[in-house]
mmCIF file of all heavy atoms in Angstrom:
data_model
loop_
_atom_site.group_PDB
_atom_site.id
_atom_site.type_symbol
_atom_site.label_atom_id
_atom_site.label_comp_id
_atom_site.label_asym_id
_atom_site.label_seq_id
_atom_site.Cartn_x
_atom_site.Cartn_y
_atom_site.Cartn_z
ATOM 1 N N MET G 1 -6.281 7.144 5.700
ATOM 2 C CA MET G 1 -5.217 7.361 4.787
ATOM 3 C C MET G 1 -4.013 8.013 5.598
ATOM 4 O O MET G 1 -2.888 7.626 5.374
ATOM 5 C CB MET G 1 -5.595 8.099 3.542
ATOM 6 C CG MET G 1 -4.504 8.243 2.554
ATOM 7 S SD MET G 1 -4.933 8.776 0.859
ATOM 8 C CE MET G 1 -6.140 10.023 0.984
ATOM 9 N N GLU G 2 -4.379 9.034 6.263
ATOM 10 C CA GLU G 2 -3.287 9.851 7.073
ATOM 11 C C GLU G 2 -2.682 8.812 8.057
ATOM 12 O O GLU G 2 -1.396 8.833 8.154
ATOM 13 C CB GLU G 2 -3.938 10.974 7.742
ATOM 14 C CG GLU G 2 -2.972 12.029 8.123
ATOM 15 C CD GLU G 2 -3.644 13.334 8.559
ATOM 16 O OE1 GLU G 2 -4.447 13.787 7.808
ATOM 17 O OE2 GLU G 2 -3.281 13.827 9.527
ATOM 18 N N ARG G 3 -3.449 8.119 8.749
ATOM 19 C CA ARG G 3 -2.806 7.165 9.741
ATOM 20 C C ARG G 3 -1.994 6.080 9.035
ATOM 21 O O ARG G 3 -0.913 5.758 9.528
ATOM 22 C CB ARG G 3 -3.922 6.545 10.617
ATOM 23 C CG ARG G 3 -3.436 5.544 11.673
ATOM 24 C CD ARG G 3 -4.600 5.018 12.467
ATOM 25 N NE ARG G 3 -4.102 3.943 13.322
ATOM 26 C CZ ARG G 3 -4.937 3.035 13.772
ATOM 27 N NH1 ARG G 3 -6.235 3.124 13.500
ATOM 28 N NH2 ARG G 3 -4.395 2.055 14.462
ATOM 29 N N LEU G 4 -2.450 5.611 7.910
ATOM 30 C CA LEU G 4 -1.660 4.520 7.263
ATOM 31 C C LEU G 4 -0.306 5.158 6.828
ATOM 32 O O LEU G 4 0.680 4.535 6.910
ATOM 33 C CB LEU G 4 -2.450 4.043 6.014
ATOM 34 C CG LEU G 4 -1.829 3.097 5.011
ATOM 35 C CD1 LEU G 4 -1.307 1.777 5.826
ATOM 36 C CD2 LEU G 4 -2.565 2.854 3.840
ATOM 37 N N ALA G 5 -0.346 6.343 6.209
ATOM 38 C CA ALA G 5 0.785 7.034 5.775
ATOM 39 C C ALA G 5 1.798 7.209 6.890
ATOM 40 O O ALA G 5 2.969 7.009 6.838
ATOM 41 C CB ALA G 5 0.435 8.348 5.117
ATOM 42 N N GLU G 6 1.164 7.687 8.069
ATOM 43 C CA GLU G 6 2.130 7.907 9.286
ATOM 44 C C GLU G 6 2.760 6.673 9.684
ATOM 45 O O GLU G 6 3.930 6.596 9.925
ATOM 46 C CB GLU G 6 1.208 8.446 10.378
ATOM 47 C CG GLU G 6 2.150 8.846 11.591
ATOM 48 C CD GLU G 6 1.234 9.428 12.691
ATOM 49 O OE1 GLU G 6 0.333 10.369 12.368
ATOM 50 O OE2 GLU G 6 1.325 9.061 13.856
ATOM 51 N N GLU G 7 1.981 5.491 9.798
ATOM 52 C CA GLU G 7 2.651 4.240 10.249
ATOM 53 C C GLU G 7 3.475 3.789 9.234
ATOM 54 O O GLU G 7 4.552 2.954 9.688
ATOM 55 C CB GLU G 7 1.395 3.276 10.569
ATOM 56 C CG GLU G 7 0.579 3.613 11.653
ATOM 57 C CD GLU G 7 -0.540 2.559 12.067
ATOM 58 O OE1 GLU G 7 -0.401 1.507 11.471
ATOM 59 O OE2 GLU G 7 -1.451 2.853 12.763
ATOM 60 N N ALA G 8 3.403 3.988 7.987
ATOM 61 C CA ALA G 8 4.327 3.469 6.930
ATOM 62 C C ALA G 8 5.525 4.323 6.716
ATOM 63 O O ALA G 8 6.420 4.029 6.060
ATOM 64 C CB ALA G 8 3.477 3.219 5.621
ATOM 65 N N GLY G 9 5.399 5.543 7.291
ATOM 66 C CA GLY G 9 6.473 6.533 7.180
ATOM 67 C C GLY G 9 6.543 7.228 5.879
ATOM 68 O O GLY G 9 7.715 7.461 5.401
ATOM 69 N N VAL G 10 5.415 7.530 5.267
ATOM 70 C CA VAL G 10 5.421 8.214 4.103
ATOM 71 C C VAL G 10 4.427 9.460 4.217
ATOM 72 O O VAL G 10 3.537 9.332 5.003
ATOM 73 C CB VAL G 10 4.937 7.463 2.819
ATOM 74 C CG1 VAL G 10 5.934 6.385 2.598
ATOM 75 C CG2 VAL G 10 3.619 6.764 3.000
ATOM 76 N N HIS G 11 4.443 10.352 3.294
ATOM 77 C CA HIS G 11 3.432 11.470 3.283
ATOM 78 C C HIS G 11 2.128 11.009 2.849
ATOM 79 O O HIS G 11 2.074 10.191 1.860
ATOM 80 C CB HIS G 11 4.044 12.685 2.519
ATOM 81 C CG HIS G 11 3.335 13.868 2.768
ATOM 82 N ND1 HIS G 11 2.106 14.276 2.072
ATOM 83 C CD2 HIS G 11 3.628 14.850 3.583
ATOM 84 C CE1 HIS G 11 1.810 15.433 2.596
ATOM 85 N NE2 HIS G 11 2.694 15.860 3.487
ATOM 86 N N ARG G 12 1.072 11.474 3.316
ATOM 87 C CA ARG G 12 -0.200 11.085 2.989
ATOM 88 C C ARG G 12 -0.598 11.420 1.475
ATOM 89 O O ARG G 12 -1.341 10.583 0.952
ATOM 90 C CB ARG G 12 -1.314 11.659 3.822
ATOM 91 C CG ARG G 12 -1.441 13.210 3.737
ATOM 92 C CD ARG G 12 -2.559 13.711 4.639
ATOM 93 N NE ARG G 12 -2.547 15.166 4.661
ATOM 94 C CZ ARG G 12 -3.082 16.009 3.630
ATOM 95 N NH1 ARG G 12 -3.522 15.373 2.607
ATOM 96 N NH2 ARG G 12 -2.965 17.312 3.753
ATOM 97 N N THR G 13 0.009 12.428 0.936
ATOM 98 C CA THR G 13 -0.381 12.632 -0.469
ATOM 99 C C THR G 13 0.359 11.401 -1.347
ATOM 100 O O THR G 13 -0.145 11.138 -2.470
ATOM 101 C CB THR G 13 0.300 14.072 -1.020
ATOM 102 O OG1 THR G 13 1.690 14.043 -0.640
ATOM 103 C CG2 THR G 13 -0.429 15.087 -0.267
ATOM 104 N N SER G 14 1.437 10.841 -0.885
ATOM 105 C CA SER G 14 1.994 9.699 -1.590
ATOM 106 C C SER G 14 0.995 8.572 -1.748
ATOM 107 O O SER G 14 0.979 7.895 -2.666
ATOM 108 C CB SER G 14 3.244 9.255 -0.970
ATOM 109 O OG SER G 14 4.324 10.279 -0.943
ATOM 110 N N ILE G 15 0.317 8.357 -0.554
ATOM 111 C CA ILE G 15 -0.703 7.296 -0.611
ATOM 112 C C ILE G 15 -1.784 7.637 -1.630
ATOM 113 O O ILE G 15 -2.175 6.751 -2.306
ATOM 114 C CB ILE G 15 -1.402 7.045 0.900
ATOM 115 C CG1 ILE G 15 -0.202 6.730 1.920
ATOM 116 C CG2 ILE G 15 -2.379 6.051 0.868
ATOM 117 C CD1 ILE G 15 0.564 5.473 1.693
ATOM 118 N N GLY G 16 -2.299 8.831 -1.614
ATOM 119 C CA GLY G 16 -3.222 9.205 -2.563
ATOM 120 C C GLY G 16 -2.779 9.067 -3.967
ATOM 121 O O GLY G 16 -3.643 8.567 -4.857
ATOM 122 N N LEU G 17 -1.649 9.463 -4.288
ATOM 123 C CA LEU G 17 -1.155 9.209 -5.580
ATOM 124 C C LEU G 17 -0.907 7.766 -6.017
ATOM 125 O O LEU G 17 -1.203 7.390 -7.180
ATOM 126 C CB LEU G 17 0.285 10.012 -5.647
ATOM 127 C CG LEU G 17 0.320 11.428 -5.595
ATOM 128 C CD1 LEU G 17 1.705 11.948 -5.410
ATOM 129 C CD2 LEU G 17 -0.374 12.124 -6.860
ATOM 130 N N ILE G 18 -0.520 6.863 -5.111
ATOM 131 C CA ILE G 18 -0.506 5.530 -5.433
ATOM 132 C C ILE G 18 -1.885 4.963 -5.682
ATOM 133 O O ILE G 18 -2.072 4.239 -6.600
ATOM 134 C CB ILE G 18 0.221 4.704 -4.168
ATOM 135 C CG1 ILE G 18 1.659 5.182 -4.147
ATOM 136 C CG2 ILE G 18 0.049 3.298 -4.323
ATOM 137 C CD1 ILE G 18 2.381 4.818 -2.776
ATOM 138 N N GLU G 19 -2.837 5.361 -4.775
ATOM 139 C CA GLU G 19 -4.138 4.918 -5.090
ATOM 140 C C GLU G 19 -4.790 5.291 -6.374
ATOM 141 O O GLU G 19 -5.509 4.412 -6.980
ATOM 142 C CB GLU G 19 -5.121 5.484 -3.887
ATOM 143 C CG GLU G 19 -4.970 4.876 -2.673
ATOM 144 C CD GLU G 19 -5.959 5.449 -1.632
ATOM 145 O OE1 GLU G 19 -6.409 6.654 -1.738
ATOM 146 O OE2 GLU G 19 -6.451 4.610 -0.701
ATOM 147 N N ARG G 20 -4.478 6.442 -6.876
ATOM 148 C CA ARG G 20 -4.878 6.900 -8.160
ATOM 149 C C ARG G 20 -3.994 6.463 -9.287
ATOM 150 O O ARG G 20 -4.229 6.802 -10.418
ATOM 151 C CB ARG G 20 -4.937 8.430 -8.159
ATOM 152 C CG ARG G 20 -6.027 9.033 -7.224
ATOM 153 C CD ARG G 20 -6.327 10.361 -7.444
ATOM 154 N NE ARG G 20 -5.230 11.299 -6.967
ATOM 155 C CZ ARG G 20 -4.860 11.610 -5.818
ATOM 156 N NH1 ARG G 20 -5.541 11.135 -4.774
ATOM 157 N NH2 ARG G 20 -3.849 12.500 -5.661
ATOM 158 N N GLY G 21 -2.959 5.692 -9.103
ATOM 159 C CA GLY G 21 -2.102 5.230 -10.065
ATOM 160 C C GLY G 21 -1.213 6.241 -10.687
ATOM 161 O O GLY G 21 -0.660 6.018 -11.767
ATOM 162 N N ARG G 22 -0.867 7.247 -9.996
ATOM 163 C CA ARG G 22 -0.161 8.405 -10.424
ATOM 164 C C ARG G 22 1.357 8.133 -9.923
ATOM 165 O O ARG G 22 2.205 8.929 -10.303
ATOM 166 C CB ARG G 22 -0.607 9.708 -10.122
ATOM 167 C CG ARG G 22 -2.006 9.966 -10.713
ATOM 168 C CD ARG G 22 -2.544 11.321 -10.434
ATOM 169 N NE ARG G 22 -3.263 11.736 -11.506
ATOM 170 C CZ ARG G 22 -3.210 13.043 -12.022
ATOM 171 N NH1 ARG G 22 -2.502 13.975 -11.505
ATOM 172 N NH2 ARG G 22 -3.796 13.313 -13.155
ATOM 173 N N ARG G 23 1.537 7.412 -8.990
ATOM 174 C CA ARG G 23 2.881 7.034 -8.535
ATOM 175 C C ARG G 23 3.022 5.520 -8.277
ATOM 176 O O ARG G 23 2.084 4.790 -7.777
ATOM 177 C CB ARG G 23 3.100 7.771 -7.095
ATOM 178 C CG ARG G 23 4.374 7.470 -6.576
ATOM 179 C CD ARG G 23 4.540 8.308 -5.352
ATOM 180 N NE ARG G 23 5.040 9.698 -5.707
ATOM 181 C CZ ARG G 23 5.200 10.584 -4.902
ATOM 182 N NH1 ARG G 23 5.118 10.388 -3.667
ATOM 183 N NH2 ARG G 23 5.585 11.752 -5.354
ATOM 184 N N SER G 24 4.206 5.028 -8.671
ATOM 185 C CA SER G 24 4.460 3.668 -8.377
ATOM 186 C C SER G 24 5.014 3.490 -6.995
ATOM 187 O O SER G 24 5.636 4.420 -6.454
ATOM 188 C CB SER G 24 5.512 3.162 -9.386
ATOM 189 O OG SER G 24 4.947 3.195 -10.711
ATOM 190 N N MET G 25 5.098 2.299 -6.573
ATOM 191 C CA MET G 25 5.795 2.097 -5.237
ATOM 192 C C MET G 25 6.794 0.939 -5.280
ATOM 193 O O MET G 25 6.639 0.050 -6.273
ATOM 194 C CB MET G 25 4.704 1.734 -4.139
ATOM 195 C CG MET G 25 4.028 0.453 -4.215
ATOM 196 S SD MET G 25 3.081 0.251 -2.687
ATOM 197 C CE MET G 25 1.560 0.096 -3.509
ATOM 198 N N THR G 26 7.738 1.045 -4.440
ATOM 199 C CA THR G 26 8.751 0.020 -4.302
ATOM 200 C C THR G 26 8.222 -1.175 -3.513
ATOM 201 O O THR G 26 7.222 -1.064 -2.887
ATOM 202 C CB THR G 26 9.998 0.536 -3.715
ATOM 203 O OG1 THR G 26 9.766 0.977 -2.337
ATOM 204 C CG2 THR G 26 10.489 1.774 -4.312
ATOM 205 N N LEU G 27 8.961 -2.331 -3.695
ATOM 206 C CA LEU G 27 8.535 -3.382 -2.852
ATOM 207 C C LEU G 27 8.660 -3.123 -1.300
ATOM 208 O O LEU G 27 7.909 -3.603 -0.458
ATOM 209 C CB LEU G 27 9.374 -4.594 -3.174
ATOM 210 C CG LEU G 27 8.963 -5.431 -4.386
ATOM 211 C CD1 LEU G 27 10.127 -6.481 -4.670
ATOM 212 C CD2 LEU G 27 7.618 -6.011 -4.248
ATOM 213 N N GLU G 28 9.718 -2.283 -0.978
ATOM 214 C CA GLU G 28 9.921 -1.872 0.337
ATOM 215 C C GLU G 28 8.720 -0.999 0.856
ATOM 216 O O GLU G 28 8.242 -1.324 1.996
ATOM 217 C CB GLU G 28 11.227 -0.995 0.534
ATOM 218 C CG GLU G 28 11.416 -0.549 1.858
ATOM 219 C CD GLU G 28 12.604 0.446 2.023
ATOM 220 O OE1 GLU G 28 13.455 0.441 1.121
ATOM 221 O OE2 GLU G 28 12.592 1.070 3.063
ATOM 222 N N LEU G 29 8.194 -0.129 0.071
ATOM 223 C CA LEU G 29 7.068 0.601 0.547
ATOM 224 C C LEU G 29 5.905 -0.303 0.596
ATOM 225 O O LEU G 29 5.079 -0.202 1.599
ATOM 226 C CB LEU G 29 6.783 1.797 -0.387
ATOM 227 C CG LEU G 29 5.561 2.649 -0.122
ATOM 228 C CD1 LEU G 29 5.525 3.073 1.371
ATOM 229 C CD2 LEU G 29 5.401 3.791 -1.143
ATOM 230 N N ALA G 30 5.604 -1.175 -0.270
ATOM 231 C CA ALA G 30 4.497 -2.102 -0.303
ATOM 232 C C ALA G 30 4.555 -3.034 1.004
ATOM 233 O O ALA G 30 3.581 -3.198 1.635
ATOM 234 C CB ALA G 30 4.498 -2.950 -1.578
ATOM 235 N N ASP G 31 5.764 -3.458 1.390
ATOM 236 C CA ASP G 31 5.979 -4.146 2.539
ATOM 237 C C ASP G 31 5.610 -3.218 3.868
ATOM 238 O O ASP G 31 4.903 -3.731 4.734
ATOM 239 C CB ASP G 31 7.320 -4.655 2.720
ATOM 240 C CG ASP G 31 7.550 -5.601 3.807
ATOM 241 O OD1 ASP G 31 6.766 -6.432 4.116
ATOM 242 O OD2 ASP G 31 8.564 -5.424 4.626
ATOM 243 N N ARG G 32 6.010 -2.097 3.829
ATOM 244 C CA ARG G 32 5.617 -1.066 4.994
ATOM 245 C C ARG G 32 4.232 -0.864 5.052
ATOM 246 O O ARG G 32 3.666 -0.921 6.213
ATOM 247 C CB ARG G 32 6.503 0.168 4.870
ATOM 248 C CG ARG G 32 7.899 0.037 5.134
ATOM 249 C CD ARG G 32 8.775 1.195 5.283
ATOM 250 N NE ARG G 32 8.286 2.440 4.703
ATOM 251 C CZ ARG G 32 8.877 3.186 3.819
ATOM 252 N NH1 ARG G 32 10.164 2.883 3.431
ATOM 253 N NH2 ARG G 32 8.314 4.321 3.308
ATOM 254 N N LEU G 33 3.495 -0.698 3.937
ATOM 255 C CA LEU G 33 2.181 -0.469 3.888
ATOM 256 C C LEU G 33 1.375 -1.743 4.391
ATOM 257 O O LEU G 33 0.391 -1.668 5.192
ATOM 258 C CB LEU G 33 1.566 -0.084 2.489
ATOM 259 C CG LEU G 33 2.108 1.345 1.935
ATOM 260 C CD1 LEU G 33 1.712 1.472 0.613
ATOM 261 C CD2 LEU G 33 1.453 2.338 2.909
ATOM 262 N N ALA G 34 1.787 -2.907 3.959
ATOM 263 C CA ALA G 34 1.124 -4.201 4.399
ATOM 264 C C ALA G 34 1.369 -4.335 5.917
ATOM 265 O O ALA G 34 0.391 -4.630 6.548
ATOM 266 C CB ALA G 34 1.959 -5.367 3.603
ATOM 267 N N GLN G 35 2.581 -4.131 6.378
ATOM 268 C CA GLN G 35 2.783 -4.234 7.837
ATOM 269 C C GLN G 35 1.855 -3.176 8.580
ATOM 270 O O GLN G 35 1.418 -3.544 9.632
ATOM 271 C CB GLN G 35 4.183 -3.893 8.118
ATOM 272 C CG GLN G 35 5.108 -5.047 7.734
ATOM 273 C CD GLN G 35 6.617 -4.727 8.024
ATOM 274 O OE1 GLN G 35 6.949 -3.824 8.821
ATOM 275 N NE2 GLN G 35 7.492 -5.435 7.452
ATOM 276 N N SER G 36 1.693 -2.042 7.994
ATOM 277 C CA SER G 36 0.832 -0.988 8.653
ATOM 278 C C SER G 36 -0.606 -1.477 8.777
ATOM 279 O O SER G 36 -1.375 -1.057 9.605
ATOM 280 C CB SER G 36 0.941 0.289 7.927
ATOM 281 O OG SER G 36 2.234 0.911 8.038
ATOM 282 N N LEU G 37 -1.065 -2.303 7.771
ATOM 283 C CA LEU G 37 -2.408 -2.743 7.671
ATOM 284 C C LEU G 37 -2.459 -4.133 8.456
ATOM 285 O O LEU G 37 -3.616 -4.732 8.522
ATOM 286 C CB LEU G 37 -2.827 -3.034 6.260
ATOM 287 C CG LEU G 37 -2.940 -1.750 5.394
ATOM 288 C CD1 LEU G 37 -3.014 -2.078 3.916
ATOM 289 C CD2 LEU G 37 -4.113 -0.981 5.802
ATOM 290 N N GLY G 38 -1.353 -4.600 9.058
ATOM 291 C CA GLY G 38 -1.441 -5.747 9.776
ATOM 292 C C GLY G 38 -1.319 -6.956 8.964
ATOM 293 O O GLY G 38 -1.895 -8.092 9.269
ATOM 294 N N LEU G 39 -0.744 -6.848 7.687
ATOM 295 C CA LEU G 39 -0.745 -7.921 6.821
ATOM 296 C C LEU G 39 0.713 -8.307 6.398
ATOM 297 O O LEU G 39 1.634 -7.374 6.571
ATOM 298 C CB LEU G 39 -1.396 -7.695 5.433
ATOM 299 C CG LEU G 39 -2.912 -7.248 5.592
ATOM 300 C CD1 LEU G 39 -3.392 -6.777 4.222
ATOM 301 C CD2 LEU G 39 -3.657 -8.413 5.896
ATOM 302 N N ARG G 40 0.952 -9.471 5.909
ATOM 303 C CA ARG G 40 2.237 -9.903 5.331
ATOM 304 C C ARG G 40 2.203 -9.439 3.861
ATOM 305 O O ARG G 40 1.139 -9.375 3.268
ATOM 306 C CB ARG G 40 2.439 -11.348 5.400
ATOM 307 C CG ARG G 40 2.649 -11.780 6.789
ATOM 308 C CD ARG G 40 2.837 -13.302 7.003
ATOM 309 N NE ARG G 40 3.999 -13.572 5.984
ATOM 310 C CZ ARG G 40 4.145 -14.976 5.559
ATOM 311 N NH1 ARG G 40 3.219 -15.920 6.058
ATOM 312 N NH2 ARG G 40 5.043 -15.232 4.720
ATOM 313 N N LEU G 41 3.296 -9.023 3.233
ATOM 314 C CA LEU G 41 3.343 -8.527 1.977
ATOM 315 C C LEU G 41 2.733 -9.636 1.064
ATOM 316 O O LEU G 41 2.035 -9.344 0.072
ATOM 317 C CB LEU G 41 4.690 -8.125 1.560
ATOM 318 C CG LEU G 41 4.969 -7.752 0.055
ATOM 319 C CD1 LEU G 41 4.079 -6.475 -0.246
ATOM 320 C CD2 LEU G 41 6.360 -7.410 -0.206
ATOM 321 N N SER G 42 3.091 -10.905 1.329
ATOM 322 C CA SER G 42 2.601 -12.011 0.488
ATOM 323 C C SER G 42 1.053 -12.119 0.510
ATOM 324 O O SER G 42 0.439 -12.296 -0.522
ATOM 325 C CB SER G 42 3.266 -13.336 0.852
ATOM 326 O OG SER G 42 2.928 -13.593 2.197
ATOM 327 N N ALA G 43 0.474 -11.842 1.586
ATOM 328 C CA ALA G 43 -0.988 -11.780 1.689
ATOM 329 C C ALA G 43 -1.585 -10.586 0.957
ATOM 330 O O ALA G 43 -2.579 -10.777 0.292
ATOM 331 C CB ALA G 43 -1.427 -11.684 3.210
ATOM 332 N N LEU G 44 -0.931 -9.563 1.014
ATOM 333 C CA LEU G 44 -1.463 -8.295 0.256
ATOM 334 C C LEU G 44 -1.317 -8.597 -1.267
ATOM 335 O O LEU G 44 -2.353 -8.291 -2.032
ATOM 336 C CB LEU G 44 -0.564 -7.067 0.505
ATOM 337 C CG LEU G 44 -0.946 -5.797 -0.006
ATOM 338 C CD1 LEU G 44 -2.366 -5.292 0.368
ATOM 339 C CD2 LEU G 44 -0.051 -4.702 0.239
ATOM 340 N N VAL G 45 -0.202 -9.190 -1.779
ATOM 341 C CA VAL G 45 -0.111 -9.505 -3.169
ATOM 342 C C VAL G 45 -1.147 -10.491 -3.574
ATOM 343 O O VAL G 45 -1.735 -10.441 -4.641
ATOM 344 C CB VAL G 45 1.375 -9.944 -3.420
ATOM 345 C CG1 VAL G 45 1.533 -10.553 -4.792
ATOM 346 C CG2 VAL G 45 2.316 -8.913 -3.267
ATOM 347 N N GLU G 46 -1.398 -11.540 -2.783
ATOM 348 C CA GLU G 46 -2.317 -12.486 -3.113
ATOM 349 C C GLU G 46 -3.732 -11.964 -3.200
ATOM 350 O O GLU G 46 -4.401 -12.348 -4.099
ATOM 351 C CB GLU G 46 -2.417 -13.623 -2.001
ATOM 352 C CG GLU G 46 -3.144 -14.810 -2.232
ATOM 353 C CD GLU G 46 -3.106 -15.831 -1.119
ATOM 354 O OE1 GLU G 46 -2.024 -16.201 -0.833
ATOM 355 O OE2 GLU G 46 -4.064 -16.305 -0.656
ATOM 356 N N ASP G 47 -4.049 -11.065 -2.394
ATOM 357 C CA ASP G 47 -5.393 -10.324 -2.377
ATOM 358 C C ASP G 47 -5.495 -9.604 -3.689
ATOM 359 O O ASP G 47 -6.541 -9.647 -4.334
ATOM 360 C CB ASP G 47 -5.572 -9.428 -1.296
ATOM 361 C CG ASP G 47 -6.919 -8.879 -1.081
ATOM 362 O OD1 ASP G 47 -7.923 -9.679 -1.254
ATOM 363 O OD2 ASP G 47 -7.119 -7.721 -0.970
ATOM 364 N N VAL G 48 -4.482 -8.849 -4.184
ATOM 365 C CA VAL G 48 -4.529 -8.154 -5.403
ATOM 366 C C VAL G 48 -4.623 -9.160 -6.555
ATOM 367 O O VAL G 48 -5.506 -8.922 -7.445
ATOM 368 C CB VAL G 48 -3.232 -7.354 -5.601
ATOM 369 C CG1 VAL G 48 -3.099 -6.721 -6.944
ATOM 370 C CG2 VAL G 48 -3.228 -6.183 -4.446
ATOM 371 N N GLU G 49 -3.905 -10.190 -6.519
ATOM 372 C CA GLU G 49 -4.068 -11.208 -7.655
ATOM 373 C C GLU G 49 -5.430 -11.810 -7.674
ATOM 374 O O GLU G 49 -5.967 -11.968 -8.862
ATOM 375 C CB GLU G 49 -2.858 -12.419 -7.445
ATOM 376 C CG GLU G 49 -1.513 -11.951 -7.736
ATOM 377 C CD GLU G 49 -0.574 -13.045 -7.391
ATOM 378 O OE1 GLU G 49 -0.808 -13.970 -6.653
ATOM 379 O OE2 GLU G 49 0.519 -12.934 -8.000
ATOM 380 N N GLN G 50 -6.033 -12.115 -6.579
ATOM 381 C CA GLN G 50 -7.424 -12.693 -6.620
ATOM 382 C C GLN G 50 -8.279 -11.728 -7.176
ATOM 383 O O GLN G 50 -9.283 -11.992 -7.823
ATOM 384 C CB GLN G 50 -7.720 -13.130 -5.232
ATOM 385 C CG GLN G 50 -7.087 -14.442 -4.783
ATOM 386 C CD GLN G 50 -7.252 -14.875 -3.341
ATOM 387 O OE1 GLN G 50 -8.001 -14.173 -2.610
ATOM 388 N NE2 GLN G 50 -6.815 -15.932 -2.932
ATOM 389 N N SER G 51 -8.158 -10.333 -6.752
ATOM 390 C CA SER G 51 -9.110 -9.270 -7.228
ATOM 391 C C SER G 51 -9.016 -9.207 -8.784
ATOM 392 O O SER G 51 -10.164 -9.091 -9.448
ATOM 393 C CB SER G 51 -8.717 -8.016 -6.634
ATOM 394 O OG SER G 51 -8.800 -8.062 -5.323
ATOM 395 N N ARG G 52 -7.878 -9.389 -9.271
ATOM 396 C CA ARG G 52 -7.764 -9.357 -10.784
ATOM 397 C C ARG G 52 -8.457 -10.387 -11.504
ATOM 398 O O ARG G 52 -8.974 -10.273 -12.655
ATOM 399 C CB ARG G 52 -6.302 -9.258 -11.191
ATOM 400 C CG ARG G 52 -5.804 -7.894 -10.994
ATOM 401 C CD ARG G 52 -4.444 -7.816 -11.793
ATOM 402 N NE ARG G 52 -3.489 -7.665 -10.821
ATOM 403 C CZ ARG G 52 -2.125 -7.835 -11.034
ATOM 404 N NH1 ARG G 52 -1.790 -8.228 -12.251
ATOM 405 N NH2 ARG G 52 -1.303 -7.764 -10.144
ATOM 406 N N SER G 53 -8.559 -11.589 -10.883
ATOM 407 C CA SER G 53 -9.051 -12.758 -11.519
ATOM 408 C C SER G 53 -10.597 -12.824 -11.344
ATOM 409 O O SER G 53 -11.231 -13.744 -11.892
ATOM 410 C CB SER G 53 -8.369 -14.073 -11.076
ATOM 411 O OG SER G 53 -8.688 -14.236 -9.651
ATOM 412 N N ARG G 54 -11.240 -11.993 -10.706
ATOM 413 C CA ARG G 54 -12.672 -12.021 -10.600
ATOM 414 C C ARG G 54 -13.367 -11.337 -11.633
ATOM 415 O O ARG G 54 -13.063 -10.637 -12.392
ATOM 416 C CB ARG G 54 -13.066 -11.255 -9.270
ATOM 417 C CG ARG G 54 -12.596 -11.901 -8.043
ATOM 418 C CD ARG G 54 -13.004 -11.155 -6.735
ATOM 419 N NE ARG G 54 -12.296 -11.862 -5.716
ATOM 420 C CZ ARG G 54 -12.095 -11.123 -4.545
ATOM 421 N NH1 ARG G 54 -12.486 -9.947 -4.396
ATOM 422 N NH2 ARG G 54 -11.367 -11.673 -3.608
#
């Protein structure tokens, strides 16, 4: 989580808050997080959509 936050340019507590649903994120932040994970934003969104339909 710390490395992801560093690569995305946010504080690690922000990542934790997002994970727990206590903070929303902008599309810009979602894109930075996706890039930090080596993904395109569209791939990240698609993965979330598929998870919901299971």
Side-chain angles (χ1 to χ4, degrees):
M1 184 167 38
E2 198 166 316
R3 183 175 165 204
L4 175 63
E6 184 179 316
E7 288 183 17
V10 296
H11 196 274
R12 65 179 173 76
T13 57
S14 293
I15 302 295
L17 290 170
I18 291 166
E19 284 182 328
R20 292 189 297 281
R22 297 182 145 221
R23 177 174 281 174
S24 297
M25 72 173 117
T26 63
L27 283 175
E28 180 184 342
L29 177 54
D31 186 45
R32 290 191 335 233
L33 291 171
Q35 287 179 16
S36 297
L37 294 168
L39 301 170
R40 293 178 48 200
L41 179 57
S42 58
L44 184 64
V45 171
E46 184 178 314
D47 189 49
V48 171
E49 289 177 333
Q50 288 177 356
S51 295
R52 278 195 251 166
S53 65
R54 291 182 194 153

